[in-house]
Amino acid sequence: MIMFVMSEMMFFGALISAFLIVKSGNIMWPPPGQPRLPIGLTAVNTLFLVGSGVLVYLSNKSLSRGDKVGAKKLLRYAIICALIFLGIQGYEWVSMLQHGLSMTSSTYGSFFFMIIGCHGLHVLGALLFLISVYRKFSTEAFRPESYWGGQVFWYFVVGVWPVLYVLVYLS
Amino acid sequence: MSFWEKYVFSTDHKVIGLQYMFTGLFMAAIGGFFVYVFRMQLAFPGISVPGYGEVTPLAYNSLVTNHGTIMIFWFAMPVLIAAFGNILIPLMIGCDDMVFPRINRLSFQIFLLSAIILIASFFVPNGGFGGAWTSYPPLSANAEYNATPLGAPMWLIAVALEFVAFLLGGINFITTLMNARAPGMTMYRIPIVLWMIVIASILFMCSVGPLIAGAVMLLFDQTLGTSFYNPAGGGDPLLWQHLFWFFGHPEVYVVLLPAMGIVAEIMATMARKKLFGYKTILYSVIATGILSFVVWAHHQFIAGIDPRMANLFTVTTLLISVPIAELCFVYIATLYGGSITFNTPMLWALSFMVEFLIGGITGIFLGASGVDIFFHDTYFVVAHFHYTFVPIAIIGFYAGITYWFPKIFGKMLSDRLGKIHFWGTIIPFNFIFIPLFLLGAAGQHRRIWDFSNYSDLATPEFFNLRVIATVSLIVMISFQFVFLFNFIKSLRSKEKAPKNPWDANTLEWTADSPPPHGNWPELPEKVYRGPYEFSHPDRESDFWPQDEPGPDPDDPDYKSGYSPDSDIESSSTKA
């Protein structure tokens, strides 16, 4: 899993560096005539995602203490937080499209949808993994190793988000 | 077990390795047919090529593009890393299978899907993608430039899927080598070929992310009309070149290292000598791997990058020849003073060194940014990278398959037919590419459909060299049927191969030939020493299997019963 996260890091590293190269090649950024991204709403959203990362961490801590019920409860809250994050993201995308920012309207829009979309897909994938772990939690099929694998990937997805927020939204 | 369970949906690492190998060889046959077609067109422009027909410019582009793509991504990688990695890793470290056997099967299935998509792309309207295997935008991004509106996205999807397959395989290789070794198989007792395959997998996993990101952006440019690489829409075409070569250069070492490892195993065994400088090799390879990430822009010297940056990349490029040269010297030192058996695997291994050296040395010319301005995109470059890739993919594969054939298939290959095949491949190979060096130095450019349209390139001297290259190619391809014949003949012969035909030390030779599912009835209990203890003076037999109980001569406490003086003393007392 760590090897996989490493190649994922390179993947996002490439997207970010591509974004920075193109950004530095344009004098006006964001390009004129393009809508601005919702900084405030996304800041709240960031809190939800980071919060869910913290909850997963706490859930793991109570699991290692042997408190399986508490761990499951915390994981449930983490999943709810992540669902809220994805919901707000979806709402944001729809409103951005209504304001005229799309894949083809400018490289600004292309990069926004590309980077944030890739991240969103990763959140979705990691979330499905966590949900499957959650469903197995109190059964015998539960394996702490697979929960740990899901956590590593979740921490990666959560950890890369603030970087993207600063680079894509705040610049 | 039914046939389907045993050979198609198997989770046995050896069967998956063979699936990779045969798919790779099938793709290599396609790539070989393509090169035959377009070399005929270059030597005899406008003729109707036997077995294909007339070559249009569009078809020419598609053939050249897909020849390169297939040979690197669908032949060199599956055969050298996936096939040999799958077959050798569990056998050589003494475990029953890969750590994730089902991920392994999934990896092959995705790979097969990618191969099918690539082959399907040759049959869509306008044919397969024709924008060169490097796929530079805007040529690759706009259908009106590359004229293959369907072939281009299909090519890109096939390449991306293939990388997903190798990503899964790579995770498996690394995890297996790290976690499933037999007791006593310490880091420095792992056979060097496994280190090479695993380091290659790590390189691949670190470099492939940027290319997948780039490929997604290129796919969006092609299909959705975004402008990541289009300057008119605020994008940057150089971006693709950076992303592609950031992957593309480590990729060279990804395929080189397994071939180097195979050669090292064969050389130590056939020279009956301990591999010289095990740790030197390991550290050189790691250094090569790290350096390979900082040389990519030497492919872009004339693409409009800053000349100061070009200088920097010249330095790093020339630096990487230091560890590679070190590997060559270490291999020569292994051979020095050995009692060498010149059988087929050893001939392949030795020819690998010789031919790869030519490729490496011409690389130094191209790595220097000043010289590269002249040589860029000429046949000199083509000859250079074929002198690296043919030894890697073709010679490396033949070396490996002739060496491990008894283990994989349980039969012996004919050595005499093997030698005929060897000389019939090596001599024409040099006759193909030495003329191309001359042509390239004289200024012949790549990716031109018909040279008779260029008066300075259409002289009889030029055409004579092209004809030599093409005729040699046909000779080389026809000698591959000798191998095919040898292969089928050995498989059908009744004579079984012994467990350890080469008197080698590594663990795979202690299993049955071919090993059953699970490899050993009981896994090797303990590994006592390194894999290359040949001709040890303390022993009667000239090899010392890794699993034979006894001391480890590399142990600092090991007391050798032999000293050079004792011979002289005993002879003097007799006198």
Side-chain angles (χ1 to χ4, degrees), chain A residues 3-4 6-7 10-11 14-15 18 21-22 26 103-104 107 110-111 114, chain B residues 174 205-206 209-210 213 216-217 220 224-228 233-234 236 239 246:
Chain A
M3 287 307 301
F4 182 66
M6 200 168 78
S7 55
M10 295 302 289
F11 175 80
L15 285 180
I21 288 172
V22 169
N26 284 275
M103 240 9 226
T104 46
T107 41
S110 320
F111 270 111
M114 167 94 178
Chain B
I174 297 163
M205 298 197 54
C206 293
V216 172
M217 293 195 270
F220 284 168
L224 299 180
T226 54
S227 42
F228 289 113
D236 183 358
L239 184 62
F246 185 79

PDB file of all heavy atoms in Angstrom, chain A residues 3-4 6-7 10-11 14-15 18 21-22 26 103-104 107 110-111 114, chain B residues 174 205-206 209-210 213 216-217 220 224-228 233-234 236 239 246:
ATOM      1  N   MET A   3       3.831   1.495  -1.310  1.00  0.00           N
ATOM      2  CA  MET A   3       4.351   1.638  -2.675  1.00  0.00           C
ATOM      3  C   MET A   3       3.306   2.288  -3.575  1.00  0.00           C
ATOM      4  O   MET A   3       3.599   3.156  -4.384  1.00  0.00           O
ATOM      5  CB  MET A   3       4.693   0.265  -3.257  1.00  0.00           C
ATOM      6  CG  MET A   3       5.911  -0.386  -2.722  1.00  0.00           C
ATOM      7  SD  MET A   3       7.359   0.661  -2.808  1.00  0.00           S
ATOM      8  CE  MET A   3       7.470   0.972  -4.557  1.00  0.00           C
ATOM      9  N   PHE A   4       2.049   1.837  -3.402  1.00  0.00           N
ATOM     10  CA  PHE A   4       0.983   2.364  -4.236  1.00  0.00           C
ATOM     11  C   PHE A   4       0.789   3.850  -3.954  1.00  0.00           C
ATOM     12  O   PHE A   4       0.665   4.658  -4.878  1.00  0.00           O
ATOM     13  CB  PHE A   4      -0.292   1.575  -3.953  1.00  0.00           C
ATOM     14  CG  PHE A   4      -1.452   1.998  -4.788  1.00  0.00           C
ATOM     15  CD1 PHE A   4      -1.422   1.806  -6.147  1.00  0.00           C
ATOM     16  CD2 PHE A   4      -2.553   2.594  -4.210  1.00  0.00           C
ATOM     17  CE1 PHE A   4      -2.484   2.198  -6.931  1.00  0.00           C
ATOM     18  CE2 PHE A   4      -3.620   2.987  -4.982  1.00  0.00           C
ATOM     19  CZ  PHE A   4      -3.578   2.787  -6.342  1.00  0.00           C
ATOM     20  N   MET A   6       2.982   5.837  -2.949  1.00  0.00           N
ATOM     21  CA  MET A   6       4.117   6.565  -3.514  1.00  0.00           C
ATOM     22  C   MET A   6       3.868   6.890  -4.984  1.00  0.00           C
ATOM     23  O   MET A   6       4.101   8.013  -5.437  1.00  0.00           O
ATOM     24  CB  MET A   6       5.378   5.713  -3.376  1.00  0.00           C
ATOM     25  CG  MET A   6       6.631   6.474  -3.459  1.00  0.00           C
ATOM     26  SD  MET A   6       7.989   5.453  -2.932  1.00  0.00           S
ATOM     27  CE  MET A   6       8.238   4.451  -4.368  1.00  0.00           C
ATOM     28  N   SER A   7       3.365   5.900  -5.749  1.00  0.00           N
ATOM     29  CA  SER A   7       3.138   6.210  -7.155  1.00  0.00           C
ATOM     30  C   SER A   7       1.970   7.166  -7.306  1.00  0.00           C
ATOM     31  O   SER A   7       1.945   7.983  -8.228  1.00  0.00           O
ATOM     32  CB  SER A   7       2.956   4.949  -7.980  1.00  0.00           C
ATOM     33  OG  SER A   7       1.948   4.168  -7.457  1.00  0.00           O
ATOM     34  N   MET A  10       3.371  10.580  -6.921  1.00  0.00           N
ATOM     35  CA  MET A  10       4.006  11.041  -8.151  1.00  0.00           C
ATOM     36  C   MET A  10       2.946  11.505  -9.145  1.00  0.00           C
ATOM     37  O   MET A  10       3.144  12.470  -9.870  1.00  0.00           O
ATOM     38  CB  MET A  10       4.850   9.924  -8.775  1.00  0.00           C
ATOM     39  CG  MET A  10       6.020   9.493  -7.965  1.00  0.00           C
ATOM     40  SD  MET A  10       7.182  10.809  -7.600  1.00  0.00           S
ATOM     41  CE  MET A  10       7.903  11.055  -9.206  1.00  0.00           C
ATOM     42  N   PHE A  11       1.812  10.803  -9.151  1.00  0.00           N
ATOM     43  CA  PHE A  11       0.725  11.174 -10.055  1.00  0.00           C
ATOM     44  C   PHE A  11       0.233  12.585  -9.744  1.00  0.00           C
ATOM     45  O   PHE A  11       0.172  13.450 -10.614  1.00  0.00           O
ATOM     46  CB  PHE A  11      -0.400  10.147  -9.903  1.00  0.00           C
ATOM     47  CG  PHE A  11      -1.643  10.451 -10.677  1.00  0.00           C
ATOM     48  CD1 PHE A  11      -1.716  10.167 -12.020  1.00  0.00           C
ATOM     49  CD2 PHE A  11      -2.745  11.011 -10.047  1.00  0.00           C
ATOM     50  CE1 PHE A  11      -2.861  10.434 -12.741  1.00  0.00           C
ATOM     51  CE2 PHE A  11      -3.900  11.282 -10.757  1.00  0.00           C
ATOM     52  CZ  PHE A  11      -3.948  10.997 -12.107  1.00  0.00           C
ATOM     53  N   ALA A  14       2.775  15.212 -10.544  1.00  0.00           N
ATOM     54  CA  ALA A  14       2.811  15.580 -11.957  1.00  0.00           C
ATOM     55  C   ALA A  14       1.692  16.549 -12.291  1.00  0.00           C
ATOM     56  O   ALA A  14       1.905  17.548 -12.980  1.00  0.00           O
ATOM     57  CB  ALA A  14       2.696  14.335 -12.821  1.00  0.00           C
ATOM     58  N   LEU A  15       0.492  16.266 -11.768  1.00  0.00           N
ATOM     59  CA  LEU A  15      -0.633  17.165 -12.054  1.00  0.00           C
ATOM     60  C   LEU A  15      -0.331  18.561 -11.520  1.00  0.00           C
ATOM     61  O   LEU A  15      -0.550  19.564 -12.204  1.00  0.00           O
ATOM     62  CB  LEU A  15      -1.907  16.640 -11.397  1.00  0.00           C
ATOM     63  CG  LEU A  15      -2.572  15.438 -12.045  1.00  0.00           C
ATOM     64  CD1 LEU A  15      -3.807  15.064 -11.253  1.00  0.00           C
ATOM     65  CD2 LEU A  15      -2.961  15.761 -13.467  1.00  0.00           C
ATOM     66  N   ALA A  18       2.392  20.247 -13.577  1.00  0.00           N
ATOM     67  CA  ALA A  18       1.848  20.667 -14.864  1.00  0.00           C
ATOM     68  C   ALA A  18       1.025  21.944 -14.691  1.00  0.00           C
ATOM     69  O   ALA A  18       1.154  22.898 -15.464  1.00  0.00           O
ATOM     70  CB  ALA A  18       0.976  19.557 -15.444  1.00  0.00           C
ATOM     71  N   ILE A  21       3.332  24.905 -14.134  1.00  0.00           N
ATOM     72  CA  ILE A  21       4.027  25.333 -15.357  1.00  0.00           C
ATOM     73  C   ILE A  21       3.091  26.147 -16.230  1.00  0.00           C
ATOM     74  O   ILE A  21       3.429  27.236 -16.701  1.00  0.00           O
ATOM     75  CB  ILE A  21       4.562  24.099 -16.113  1.00  0.00           C
ATOM     76  CG1 ILE A  21       5.739  23.491 -15.355  1.00  0.00           C
ATOM     77  CG2 ILE A  21       4.999  24.471 -17.527  1.00  0.00           C
ATOM     78  CD1 ILE A  21       6.212  22.179 -15.920  1.00  0.00           C
ATOM     79  N   VAL A  22       1.884  25.638 -16.420  1.00  0.00           N
ATOM     80  CA  VAL A  22       0.945  26.352 -17.284  1.00  0.00           C
ATOM     81  C   VAL A  22       0.549  27.689 -16.651  1.00  0.00           C
ATOM     82  O   VAL A  22       0.436  28.703 -17.327  1.00  0.00           O
ATOM     83  CB  VAL A  22      -0.279  25.470 -17.564  1.00  0.00           C
ATOM     84  CG1 VAL A  22      -1.384  26.264 -18.217  1.00  0.00           C
ATOM     85  CG2 VAL A  22       0.117  24.316 -18.456  1.00  0.00           C
ATOM     86  N   ASN A  26       1.075  31.870 -18.075  1.00  0.00           N
ATOM     87  CA  ASN A  26      -0.013  32.809 -18.342  1.00  0.00           C
ATOM     88  C   ASN A  26       0.155  34.046 -17.464  1.00  0.00           C
ATOM     89  O   ASN A  26       0.365  33.922 -16.254  1.00  0.00           O
ATOM     90  CB  ASN A  26      -1.364  32.169 -18.042  1.00  0.00           C
ATOM     91  CG  ASN A  26      -1.782  31.204 -19.127  1.00  0.00           C
ATOM     92  OD1 ASN A  26      -2.358  31.603 -20.130  1.00  0.00           O
ATOM     93  ND2 ASN A  26      -1.450  29.941 -18.936  1.00  0.00           N
ATOM     94  N   MET A 103     -14.600  22.342 -18.619  1.00  0.00           N
ATOM     95  CA  MET A 103     -13.392  21.694 -19.109  1.00  0.00           C
ATOM     96  C   MET A 103     -12.777  22.469 -20.277  1.00  0.00           C
ATOM     97  O   MET A 103     -11.570  22.599 -20.387  1.00  0.00           O
ATOM     98  CB  MET A 103     -13.813  20.332 -19.634  1.00  0.00           C
ATOM     99  CG  MET A 103     -13.273  19.075 -19.090  1.00  0.00           C
ATOM    100  SD  MET A 103     -12.297  18.943 -17.688  1.00  0.00           S
ATOM    101  CE  MET A 103     -11.041  17.864 -18.254  1.00  0.00           C
ATOM    102  N   THR A 104     -13.631  22.960 -21.201  1.00  0.00           N
ATOM    103  CA  THR A 104     -13.112  23.527 -22.445  1.00  0.00           C
ATOM    104  C   THR A 104     -13.085  25.044 -22.421  1.00  0.00           C
ATOM    105  O   THR A 104     -12.589  25.657 -23.361  1.00  0.00           O
ATOM    106  CB  THR A 104     -13.971  23.059 -23.629  1.00  0.00           C
ATOM    107  OG1 THR A 104     -15.337  23.207 -23.268  1.00  0.00           O
ATOM    108  CG2 THR A 104     -13.691  21.616 -23.959  1.00  0.00           C
ATOM    109  N   THR A 107      -7.809  26.763 -19.888  1.00  0.00           N
ATOM    110  CA  THR A 107      -6.971  25.798 -19.187  1.00  0.00           C
ATOM    111  C   THR A 107      -7.212  25.877 -17.687  1.00  0.00           C
ATOM    112  O   THR A 107      -7.023  24.897 -16.969  1.00  0.00           O
ATOM    113  CB  THR A 107      -5.478  26.046 -19.438  1.00  0.00           C
ATOM    114  OG1 THR A 107      -5.258  27.438 -19.405  1.00  0.00           O
ATOM    115  CG2 THR A 107      -5.036  25.459 -20.736  1.00  0.00           C
ATOM    116  N   SER A 110      -9.963  23.587 -17.226  1.00  0.00           N
ATOM    117  CA  SER A 110      -9.521  22.211 -17.468  1.00  0.00           C
ATOM    118  C   SER A 110      -8.764  21.682 -16.268  1.00  0.00           C
ATOM    119  O   SER A 110      -9.013  20.578 -15.800  1.00  0.00           O
ATOM    120  CB  SER A 110      -8.599  22.135 -18.681  1.00  0.00           C
ATOM    121  OG  SER A 110      -9.028  22.956 -19.702  1.00  0.00           O
ATOM    122  N   PHE A 111      -7.833  22.522 -15.769  1.00  0.00           N
ATOM    123  CA  PHE A 111      -7.029  22.047 -14.646  1.00  0.00           C
ATOM    124  C   PHE A 111      -7.873  21.892 -13.396  1.00  0.00           C
ATOM    125  O   PHE A 111      -7.693  20.945 -12.636  1.00  0.00           O
ATOM    126  CB  PHE A 111      -5.853  22.987 -14.376  1.00  0.00           C
ATOM    127  CG  PHE A 111      -4.634  22.610 -15.147  1.00  0.00           C
ATOM    128  CD1 PHE A 111      -4.168  23.392 -16.171  1.00  0.00           C
ATOM    129  CD2 PHE A 111      -3.963  21.436 -14.852  1.00  0.00           C
ATOM    130  CE1 PHE A 111      -3.049  23.029 -16.889  1.00  0.00           C
ATOM    131  CE2 PHE A 111      -2.839  21.069 -15.562  1.00  0.00           C
ATOM    132  CZ  PHE A 111      -2.380  21.867 -16.584  1.00  0.00           C
ATOM    133  N   MET A 114      -9.854  18.775 -13.809  1.00  0.00           N
ATOM    134  CA  MET A 114      -8.949  17.624 -13.893  1.00  0.00           C
ATOM    135  C   MET A 114      -8.385  17.262 -12.511  1.00  0.00           C
ATOM    136  O   MET A 114      -8.496  16.119 -12.050  1.00  0.00           O
ATOM    137  CB  MET A 114      -7.830  18.032 -14.838  1.00  0.00           C
ATOM    138  CG  MET A 114      -6.682  17.152 -14.814  1.00  0.00           C
ATOM    139  SD  MET A 114      -6.880  15.978 -16.099  1.00  0.00           S
ATOM    140  CE  MET A 114      -5.373  15.169 -15.817  1.00  0.00           C
TER     141      MET A 114
ATOM    142  N   ILE B 174       7.509  -6.342  -5.447  1.00  0.00           N
ATOM    143  CA  ILE B 174       8.242  -5.713  -4.351  1.00  0.00           C
ATOM    144  C   ILE B 174       7.835  -6.358  -3.028  1.00  0.00           C
ATOM    145  O   ILE B 174       8.678  -6.728  -2.208  1.00  0.00           O
ATOM    146  CB  ILE B 174       7.978  -4.196  -4.348  1.00  0.00           C
ATOM    147  CG1 ILE B 174       8.504  -3.586  -5.639  1.00  0.00           C
ATOM    148  CG2 ILE B 174       8.637  -3.534  -3.159  1.00  0.00           C
ATOM    149  CD1 ILE B 174       7.969  -2.221  -5.930  1.00  0.00           C
ATOM    150  N   MET B 205       7.339   2.238 -10.683  1.00  0.00           N
ATOM    151  CA  MET B 205       6.239   2.759  -9.886  1.00  0.00           C
ATOM    152  C   MET B 205       6.424   4.230  -9.562  1.00  0.00           C
ATOM    153  O   MET B 205       5.453   4.964  -9.431  1.00  0.00           O
ATOM    154  CB  MET B 205       6.109   1.948  -8.613  1.00  0.00           C
ATOM    155  CG  MET B 205       5.798   0.529  -8.966  1.00  0.00           C
ATOM    156  SD  MET B 205       5.163  -0.398  -7.634  1.00  0.00           S
ATOM    157  CE  MET B 205       3.831   0.576  -7.105  1.00  0.00           C
ATOM    158  N   CYS B 206       7.690   4.653  -9.428  1.00  0.00           N
ATOM    159  CA  CYS B 206       7.910   6.065  -9.129  1.00  0.00           C
ATOM    160  C   CYS B 206       7.735   6.932 -10.359  1.00  0.00           C
ATOM    161  O   CYS B 206       7.427   8.114 -10.253  1.00  0.00           O
ATOM    162  CB  CYS B 206       9.312   6.280  -8.577  1.00  0.00           C
ATOM    163  SG  CYS B 206       9.544   5.545  -6.985  1.00  0.00           S
ATOM    164  N   GLY B 209       3.470   7.523 -12.528  1.00  0.00           N
ATOM    165  CA  GLY B 209       2.398   8.451 -12.168  1.00  0.00           C
ATOM    166  C   GLY B 209       2.314   9.655 -13.088  1.00  0.00           C
ATOM    167  O   GLY B 209       1.251   9.954 -13.640  1.00  0.00           O
ATOM    168  N   PRO B 210       3.448  10.377 -13.283  1.00  0.00           N
ATOM    169  CA  PRO B 210       3.399  11.522 -14.175  1.00  0.00           C
ATOM    170  C   PRO B 210       2.924  11.175 -15.571  1.00  0.00           C
ATOM    171  O   PRO B 210       2.171  11.934 -16.182  1.00  0.00           O
ATOM    172  CB  PRO B 210       4.844  11.997 -14.206  1.00  0.00           C
ATOM    173  CG  PRO B 210       5.410  11.570 -12.917  1.00  0.00           C
ATOM    174  CD  PRO B 210       4.731  10.289 -12.580  1.00  0.00           C
ATOM    175  N   ALA B 213      -0.806  10.766 -15.523  1.00  0.00           N
ATOM    176  CA  ALA B 213      -1.414  12.096 -15.461  1.00  0.00           C
ATOM    177  C   ALA B 213      -1.365  12.759 -16.827  1.00  0.00           C
ATOM    178  O   ALA B 213      -2.359  13.313 -17.314  1.00  0.00           O
ATOM    179  CB  ALA B 213      -0.693  12.952 -14.423  1.00  0.00           C
ATOM    180  N   VAL B 216      -3.823  11.193 -19.260  1.00  0.00           N
ATOM    181  CA  VAL B 216      -5.214  11.602 -19.048  1.00  0.00           C
ATOM    182  C   VAL B 216      -5.440  12.974 -19.677  1.00  0.00           C
ATOM    183  O   VAL B 216      -6.430  13.208 -20.376  1.00  0.00           O
ATOM    184  CB  VAL B 216      -5.547  11.615 -17.539  1.00  0.00           C
ATOM    185  CG1 VAL B 216      -6.904  12.215 -17.301  1.00  0.00           C
ATOM    186  CG2 VAL B 216      -5.495  10.214 -16.981  1.00  0.00           C
ATOM    187  N   MET B 217      -4.475  13.877 -19.474  1.00  0.00           N
ATOM    188  CA  MET B 217      -4.629  15.217 -20.056  1.00  0.00           C
ATOM    189  C   MET B 217      -4.633  15.155 -21.583  1.00  0.00           C
ATOM    190  O   MET B 217      -5.414  15.839 -22.248  1.00  0.00           O
ATOM    191  CB  MET B 217      -3.495  16.119 -19.569  1.00  0.00           C
ATOM    192  CG  MET B 217      -3.571  16.414 -18.087  1.00  0.00           C
ATOM    193  SD  MET B 217      -2.534  17.785 -17.621  1.00  0.00           S
ATOM    194  CE  MET B 217      -1.022  17.000 -17.246  1.00  0.00           C
ATOM    195  N   PHE B 220      -7.925  13.943 -22.766  1.00  0.00           N
ATOM    196  CA  PHE B 220      -8.935  14.997 -22.714  1.00  0.00           C
ATOM    197  C   PHE B 220      -8.737  15.968 -23.873  1.00  0.00           C
ATOM    198  O   PHE B 220      -9.701  16.438 -24.480  1.00  0.00           O
ATOM    199  CB  PHE B 220      -8.866  15.740 -21.378  1.00  0.00           C
ATOM    200  CG  PHE B 220      -9.466  14.955 -20.237  1.00  0.00           C
ATOM    201  CD1 PHE B 220      -9.277  15.357 -18.926  1.00  0.00           C
ATOM    202  CD2 PHE B 220     -10.225  13.832 -20.481  1.00  0.00           C
ATOM    203  CE1 PHE B 220      -9.831  14.640 -17.879  1.00  0.00           C
ATOM    204  CE2 PHE B 220     -10.779  13.104 -19.442  1.00  0.00           C
ATOM    205  CZ  PHE B 220     -10.579  13.514 -18.137  1.00  0.00           C
ATOM    206  N   LEU B 224     -12.147  15.610 -25.506  1.00  0.00           N
ATOM    207  CA  LEU B 224     -13.057  16.622 -24.976  1.00  0.00           C
ATOM    208  C   LEU B 224     -12.753  18.009 -25.516  1.00  0.00           C
ATOM    209  O   LEU B 224     -13.518  18.942 -25.290  1.00  0.00           O
ATOM    210  CB  LEU B 224     -12.990  16.664 -23.444  1.00  0.00           C
ATOM    211  CG  LEU B 224     -13.381  15.397 -22.714  1.00  0.00           C
ATOM    212  CD1 LEU B 224     -13.257  15.594 -21.229  1.00  0.00           C
ATOM    213  CD2 LEU B 224     -14.800  15.007 -23.072  1.00  0.00           C
ATOM    214  N   GLY B 225     -11.604  18.162 -26.186  1.00  0.00           N
ATOM    215  CA  GLY B 225     -11.274  19.472 -26.719  1.00  0.00           C
ATOM    216  C   GLY B 225     -10.721  20.425 -25.682  1.00  0.00           C
ATOM    217  O   GLY B 225     -10.817  21.641 -25.821  1.00  0.00           O
ATOM    218  N   THR B 226     -10.131  19.917 -24.596  1.00  0.00           N
ATOM    219  CA  THR B 226      -9.438  20.805 -23.667  1.00  0.00           C
ATOM    220  C   THR B 226      -8.134  21.272 -24.314  1.00  0.00           C
ATOM    221  O   THR B 226      -7.767  20.821 -25.399  1.00  0.00           O
ATOM    222  CB  THR B 226      -9.103  20.078 -22.365  1.00  0.00           C
ATOM    223  OG1 THR B 226      -8.383  18.901 -22.702  1.00  0.00           O
ATOM    224  CG2 THR B 226     -10.340  19.713 -21.598  1.00  0.00           C
ATOM    225  N   SER B 227      -7.420  22.164 -23.641  1.00  0.00           N
ATOM    226  CA  SER B 227      -6.187  22.661 -24.266  1.00  0.00           C
ATOM    227  C   SER B 227      -5.033  22.647 -23.278  1.00  0.00           C
ATOM    228  O   SER B 227      -4.371  23.643 -23.078  1.00  0.00           O
ATOM    229  CB  SER B 227      -6.406  24.051 -24.833  1.00  0.00           C
ATOM    230  OG  SER B 227      -7.148  24.825 -23.934  1.00  0.00           O
ATOM    231  N   PHE B 228      -4.811  21.480 -22.666  1.00  0.00           N
ATOM    232  CA  PHE B 228      -3.660  21.364 -21.762  1.00  0.00           C
ATOM    233  C   PHE B 228      -2.349  21.566 -22.517  1.00  0.00           C
ATOM    234  O   PHE B 228      -1.402  22.139 -22.003  1.00  0.00           O
ATOM    235  CB  PHE B 228      -3.637  19.979 -21.119  1.00  0.00           C
ATOM    236  CG  PHE B 228      -4.711  19.765 -20.107  1.00  0.00           C
ATOM    237  CD1 PHE B 228      -5.717  18.856 -20.338  1.00  0.00           C
ATOM    238  CD2 PHE B 228      -4.708  20.483 -18.927  1.00  0.00           C
ATOM    239  CE1 PHE B 228      -6.712  18.649 -19.400  1.00  0.00           C
ATOM    240  CE2 PHE B 228      -5.693  20.276 -17.977  1.00  0.00           C
ATOM    241  CZ  PHE B 228      -6.689  19.365 -18.221  1.00  0.00           C
ATOM    242  N   GLY B 233      -4.850  27.823 -26.421  1.00  0.00           N
ATOM    243  CA  GLY B 233      -5.803  27.880 -25.309  1.00  0.00           C
ATOM    244  C   GLY B 233      -5.117  28.072 -23.976  1.00  0.00           C
ATOM    245  O   GLY B 233      -5.706  27.812 -22.939  1.00  0.00           O
ATOM    246  N   GLY B 234      -3.839  28.478 -23.983  1.00  0.00           N
ATOM    247  CA  GLY B 234      -3.141  28.716 -22.726  1.00  0.00           C
ATOM    248  C   GLY B 234      -2.348  27.528 -22.225  1.00  0.00           C
ATOM    249  O   GLY B 234      -1.795  27.568 -21.141  1.00  0.00           O
ATOM    250  N   ASP B 236       0.629  24.194 -22.825  1.00  0.00           N
ATOM    251  CA  ASP B 236       2.058  24.184 -23.113  1.00  0.00           C
ATOM    252  C   ASP B 236       2.442  22.832 -23.716  1.00  0.00           C
ATOM    253  O   ASP B 236       2.402  21.812 -23.022  1.00  0.00           O
ATOM    254  CB  ASP B 236       2.827  24.413 -21.803  1.00  0.00           C
ATOM    255  CG  ASP B 236       4.321  24.492 -22.051  1.00  0.00           C
ATOM    256  OD1 ASP B 236       4.740  24.341 -23.206  1.00  0.00           O
ATOM    257  OD2 ASP B 236       5.061  24.695 -21.075  1.00  0.00           O
ATOM    258  N   LEU B 239       5.039  20.584 -22.047  1.00  0.00           N
ATOM    259  CA  LEU B 239       4.641  19.891 -20.820  1.00  0.00           C
ATOM    260  C   LEU B 239       4.565  18.391 -21.037  1.00  0.00           C
ATOM    261  O   LEU B 239       5.053  17.610 -20.226  1.00  0.00           O
ATOM    262  CB  LEU B 239       3.283  20.451 -20.404  1.00  0.00           C
ATOM    263  CG  LEU B 239       2.706  19.957 -19.108  1.00  0.00           C
ATOM    264  CD1 LEU B 239       3.625  20.347 -17.996  1.00  0.00           C
ATOM    265  CD2 LEU B 239       1.333  20.578 -18.901  1.00  0.00           C
ATOM    266  N   PHE B 246       9.967  12.132 -18.341  1.00  0.00           N
ATOM    267  CA  PHE B 246      10.216  11.854 -16.924  1.00  0.00           C
ATOM    268  C   PHE B 246       9.915  10.393 -16.626  1.00  0.00           C
ATOM    269  O   PHE B 246      10.558   9.771 -15.791  1.00  0.00           O
ATOM    270  CB  PHE B 246       9.351  12.750 -16.035  1.00  0.00           C
ATOM    271  CG  PHE B 246       9.657  12.572 -14.576  1.00  0.00           C
ATOM    272  CD1 PHE B 246      10.757  13.177 -14.023  1.00  0.00           C
ATOM    273  CD2 PHE B 246       8.869  11.764 -13.779  1.00  0.00           C
ATOM    274  CE1 PHE B 246      11.073  12.974 -12.699  1.00  0.00           C
ATOM    275  CE2 PHE B 246       9.178  11.563 -12.452  1.00  0.00           C
ATOM    276  CZ  PHE B 246      10.275  12.178 -11.917  1.00  0.00           C
TER     277      PHE B 246
END
